[in-house]
Amino acid sequence: MRQRVLVASNRGPVSYWFGVDGTLIGQRGGGGLIAGVAPGVAAIAAHAEVSWICAAFSDADREAARRWGADPEDPADPPGTQDAQGFPIAGGVPVRMLDIPPDTFHRAYNNVANSVLWFVHHMLFDSPNQPLFGHEFHRDWASYLAYNDAFAAALAEEAMADGARDGSATADARVLIQDYHLSLAPRLLREKLEGTSRDIRIAHFSHTPWAPPDYYRMLPREVGRALLEGILGADHAGFHAERWAAAFLDCCEAILGAEVSRPGPGSPDPVGQVIHRGHVTKVDVHPLGVDAPALRARAQDDDVRAYVTAIDQVARGRKLIVRVDRTELSKNIARGLEAYRELLATRPEWRGRVLHLAFAYPSRSAIPGYRAYTDHVRRIAQDITEEFRTPDWNPLILEVRDDYPRSLAACAAADVLLVNPIRDGMNLVAQEGPVLSERGCALVLSREAGAAATLGDAALLVNPYDISETAAALHQGLAMPDAERRRRTEALAAAAAASPPARWLGDQLASLDR
Ligand code: G6P
């Protein structure tokens, strides 16, 4: 019997826009979560009956949701799940978009998920001034609850539906709920399924770090409790790194008074287990790596090769320091630029011999703090250019236009890759870079990225707040003998390739069934 798997995430694997004649055109959904999760979902879809539930973001998404969303008679593959070349955008997986009222969606996504939960888990608050939990927040929180309830209702409906699209029988559903947008959905879904004789199992996965209890306690009491209890509605709670799983267990103990066990290192059991309100949740670590063969194959395409040539022409034999990020507060782009400034100031031997390519793509511009941060990053970049530029040397290129093939090319050509987040659940660029590297590249990596746990030994680890240490690591990376750089790159690439998306998702399904 085929396995039935339901995936739920805020952003979906496909998004729509209106063509000039008003027709709906589908394109692959953006963002790091989709880049990581979609290949895994596509791989399990080869042997399981999979559906993906996500939120409509735009008017075109809402139109698609209305046309193909709710009617069970609809075709399984609505137009638009293939792109113009016939490529299955969502890996051939049918997508159900939820048409959540725009105000509710905005409050849940921008005001709660991205302005509060993201900030708590990445410890980003400017605490003398933020956060402020007043009546407006409580209105937003009600929207977050309604938004999670809409997902839980759709998941319950799908989980209780019988059989596959071709009429054959399927096993009871396994539900994989993604990230901090949907922290309440596991419990809400469990409540909706109460009384059923079906063996439906639920997993939740956090792609972010998890805050330690002292910081997490900033949240209003009932909110902090509801988020933990929401995730504990799942049978399995997954994290990218042991640190985040441990912090979650600590919060369950300190804030809920739940019964927590931690089997300890070397145990074959998961990292921990929580018993709360009579329900057991296994807590486990599943680091997400990259599909190295697919990535290397993509890097051979003409568009990437053309950019590699263009970058070589701009660099003219100079060493390249590369970073590729969304302009996201947690990515610490400003301190990365300050570290580069310090490198040029304190080690003048690099002036004229190095070029920093900083790709900082737009992100979450609906949030005012992000717009201000983008301006701040631009100003620092301009100052560095003005301070050090000579008639025949430009020290820095800051590029804010998103261009995937160009990012791949920059990683392929880099001598040093800088990944210095304040905190990061995992970080894919730190893993993609070494896989794509053609000459060997030194990785300067924040010790606060989840990826530090899997890549640490071969990377140059830094404290992300310490720009002097970061500048010294940039120097070490630039000056590193070629043989050592290549050896480290091979080790980094092997670690990144060890848990590709298909294995990452397969392992979670296997732990749900243990
Ligand atoms: C990054 C984070 C994920 C998060 C996603 C949301 O990829 O690592 O944890 O789900 O951003 O991005 P979005 O653009 O959808 O707000």
Side-chain angles (χ1 to χ4, degrees):
M1 219 170 3
R2 267 160 80 80
Q3 177 75 69
R4 178 138 175 71
V5 177
L6 305 176
V7 180
S9 62
N10 172 59
R11 199 183 278 276
V14 55
S15 64
Y16 293 91
W17 48 286
F18 289 113
V20 272
D21 57 355
T23 51
L24 283 170
I25 302 169
Q27 61 188 6
R28 264 190 268 190
L33 185 138
I34 296 306
V37 176
V41 173
I44 55 169
H47 53 84
E49 183 80 10
V50 186
S51 306
W52 195 321
I53 293 172
C54 60
F57 267 61
S58 62
D59 288 346
D61 284 353
R62 288 174 195 286
E63 178 63 24
R66 277 190 285 272
R67 274 195 218 168
W68 302 301
D71 184 351
E73 296 302 312
D74 277 340
D77 270 324
T81 48
Q82 298 202 327
D83 68 14
Q85 284 82 40
F87 181 85
I89 292 165
V93 171
V95 177
R96 174 169 170 189
M97 277 191 176
L98 303 181
D99 182 3
I100 294 164
D103 276 357
T104 306
F105 176 75
H106 167 70
R107 289 171 185 161
Y109 174 60
N110 287 313
N111 297 0
V112 177
N114 286 347
S115 299
V116 175
L117 307 187
W118 181 269
F119 275 59
V120 168
H121 291 312
H122 291 84
M123 309 206 304
L124 290 176
F125 282 120
D126 165 27
S127 62
N129 301 302
Q130 293 286 337
L132 282 176
F133 295 120
H135 70 277
E136 281 183 12
F137 172 77
H138 292 283
R139 178 205 63 191
D140 294 339
W141 176 250
S143 292
Y144 182 79
L145 178 58
Y147 157 98
N148 270 262
D149 197 58
F151 270 84
L155 286 167
E157 189 185 305
E158 296 273 341
M160 294 304 288
D162 282 316
R165 268 163 220 94
D166 64 6
S168 61
T170 52
D172 286 335
R174 301 291 175 256
V175 184
L176 306 175
I177 299 174
Q178 307 302 310
D179 233 355
Y180 58 99
H181 316 89
L182 295 173
S183 302
L184 305 180
R187 161 117 2 236
L188 295 167
L189 172 59
R190 178 164 300 285
E191 286 169 3
K192 290 183 199 304
L193 294 173
E194 234 156 59
T196 169
S197 56
R198 299 276 183 89
D199 176 25
I200 295 163
R201 298 191 194 174
I202 308 168
H204 182 274
F205 198 93
S206 294
H207 293 267
T208 59
W210 194 273
D214 282 353
Y215 201 88
Y216 187 84
R217 276 206 180 90
M218 257 187 209
L219 290 169
R221 213 175 103 82
E222 70 285 3
V223 169
R225 289 183 65 91
L227 294 165
L228 292 167
E229 293 194 320
I231 292 177
L232 292 177
D235 302 291
H236 180 276
F239 295 87
H240 286 303
E242 198 156 334
R243 279 177 79 182
W244 319 139
F248 177 76
L249 291 172
D250 293 345
C251 285
C252 289
E253 200 165 46
I255 286 150
L256 295 179
E259 191 184 328
V260 169
S261 56
R262 301 171 179 85
S267 158
D269 295 332
V271 171
Q273 175 176 291
V274 184
I275 306 180
H276 185 60
R277 296 212 231 151
H279 179 69
V280 180
T281 305
K282 284 193 280 186
V283 177
D284 212 347
V285 176
H286 298 277
L288 173 62
V290 299
D291 182 343
L295 201 55
R296 289 194 180 113
R298 179 66 182 87
Q300 293 312 313
D301 289 348
D302 291 347
D303 52 356
V304 181
R305 299 326 306 165
Y307 274 126
V308 171
T309 307
I311 289 171
D312 281 347
Q313 278 163 2
V314 174
R316 288 192 285 147
R318 297 185 173 100
K319 297 259 186 201
L320 270 185
I321 300 176
V322 168
R323 76 171 305 137
V324 181
D325 286 297
R326 295 179 295 118
T327 310
E328 157 56 58
L329 306 191
S330 66
K331 300 294 182 189
N332 209 21
I333 299 170
R335 284 194 193 85
L337 292 175
E338 291 296 357
Y340 182 59
R341 189 207 298 256
E342 185 149 324
L343 172 84
L344 297 179
T346 58
R347 305 210 182 245
E349 68 268 28
W350 288 116
R351 292 185 204 162
R353 294 175 51 216
V354 63
L355 169 64
H356 185 13
L357 281 183
F359 294 163
Y361 302 140
S363 178
R364 301 191 188 159
S365 40
I367 302 175
Y370 281 65
R371 295 199 293 273
Y373 187 70
T374 305
D375 292 343
H376 178 52
V377 163
R378 276 212 176 95
R379 268 195 306 274
I380 300 174
Q382 214 170 352
D383 286 354
I384 293 174
T385 305
E386 280 164 18
E387 190 176 341
F388 294 101
R389 180 177 48 194
T390 64
D392 56 2
W393 174 57
N394 180 16
L396 170 68
I397 297 176
L398 173 72
E399 186 51 81
V400 297
R401 192 173 44 87
D402 190 358
D403 188 328
Y404 182 63
R406 189 180 53 193
S407 300
L408 295 182
C411 286
D415 296 289
V416 177
L417 182 66
L418 174 59
V419 181
N420 65 324
I422 290 171
R423 261 162 96 82
D424 205 332
M426 188 66 192
N427 195 289
L428 281 181
V429 175
Q431 306 190 78
E432 289 168 344
V435 166
L436 291 164
S437 171
E438 293 176 0
R439 299 192 290 266
C441 118
L443 174 64
V444 175
L445 176 63
S446 164
R447 63 174 192 207
E448 302 301 321
T454 47
L455 305 178
D457 287 350
L460 303 173
L461 290 185
V462 294
N463 166 356
Y465 301 96
D466 187 341
I467 57 167
S468 296
E469 188 188 31
T470 308
L474 291 174
H475 168 73
Q476 192 187 340
L478 290 170
M480 191 179 278
D482 289 349
E484 180 185 349
R485 191 178 307 133
R486 271 197 296 274
R487 181 178 55 69
R488 284 179 182 257
T489 305
E490 277 167 27
L492 291 165
S499 45
R503 181 174 306 159
W504 173 78
L505 215 62
D507 285 351
Q508 289 175 66
L509 286 171
S511 10
L512 259 188
D513 278 320
R514 265 200 292 277

